[in-house]
Amino acid sequence: MSPRVLLLAGLEPTGRAGLLADVAAVRALRGQPVAVPTAQTAQGVRTFTWTASPPRVLSAQVAAARELGPVHAVKCGMVPARVQLEAAQRALEDTGAWWVVDPVVRTSRGEPLTRLSARAYLSLAGPRVVLTPNLDEAGWLLGRPVARTVDEAVEAAEALAQHGFGAVLVKGGHLPDTQGLADVLATPGRVRVLEGKRLARAPGRRGTGCRLASALATELGRGRTLETAVRSARALVVRYLRTGSE
């Protein structure tokens, strides 16, 4: 099966992150990407700005995409404000698709990418919704200090899962108390620490969180189990970091 994955994210024209990175990840796993920009962004060495997509255009793009085929999964990245979020939710409310929500709050350099509150992100919780925050984002969502140990990352993942998400994957690649990397996958009643080898990142290889969330959505849309989908998504990120391609 070639899952049709609807991608909601900001367009960063170079493809280092955002919508074009999402498209590359979906195609690498033989999925069919449907790219709907929530915002237009400009992110260079000195230049940074973004402008939100009009909600009516976003809704129309989703509606048009659905007229041409089913949606098996949704990946939600950058969402500028509540009006874009609500437009997408209304346009997709009866699909029954998996949602993978990557709460993109700011760039790696700290520039803000959303006006959404933590409460708005947490309101997306549901049994077929997977949340994929990094350590900083998990701390922001919970209103607590950023996790600095594996145990603290586990606590954060458990706390987020209690809001009603089907799963929470806290990306803990920068935890200092592990020799490699440790992501934490929390589902109702169970927590797993997923270890791996920490890889050096070339300066231009950004957007690993975008690619992981899009790959995860693709595999869930294909009908894979959650753990199988997570393993496949993590493997795609490893390939990207090693080779520069998915």
Side-chain angles (χ1 to χ4, degrees), residues 45-199:
V45 176
R46 294 175 298 278
T47 302
F48 175 79
T49 189
W50 57 265
T51 186
S53 296
R56 64 178 181 80
V57 175
L58 192 157
S59 295
Q61 288 177 320
V62 174
R66 293 190 63 189
E67 290 168 6
L68 298 173
V71 172
H72 299 107
V74 178
K75 183 267 183 175
C76 182
M78 176 187 177
V79 181
R82 183 175 287 276
V83 289
Q84 284 79 24
L85 178 61
E86 291 176 347
Q89 286 179 302
R90 286 193 299 270
L92 291 161
E93 62 185 352
D94 60 343
T95 63
W98 278 96
W99 279 61
V100 177
V101 177
D102 188 23
V104 181
V105 179
R106 58 182 63 88
T107 69
S108 57
R109 295 188 308 202
E111 295 107 341
L113 290 171
T114 184
R115 300 185 187 98
L116 279 182
S117 66
R119 179 177 296 183
Y121 276 109
L122 295 175
S123 73
L124 293 170
R128 289 176 68 81
V129 180
V130 181
L131 186 70
T132 63
N134 61 27
L135 295 172
D136 289 338
E137 292 158 352
W140 176 77
L141 288 167
L142 292 167
R144 62 171 64 172
V146 177
R148 298 299 180 192
T149 67
V150 173
D151 287 345
E152 289 176 355
V154 167
E155 291 175 6
E158 288 180 313
L160 288 168
Q162 288 172 6
H163 284 270
F165 291 98
V168 175
L169 180 65
V170 173
K171 298 168 290 190
H174 302 292
L175 289 169
D177 68 333
T178 175
Q179 295 299 311
L181 63 84
D183 299 328
V184 179
L185 177 63
T187 53
R190 188 180 180 194
V191 178
R192 282 136 288 182
V193 177
L194 309 174
E195 298 181 348
K197 183 178 180 181
R198 185 173 299 177
L199 300 174

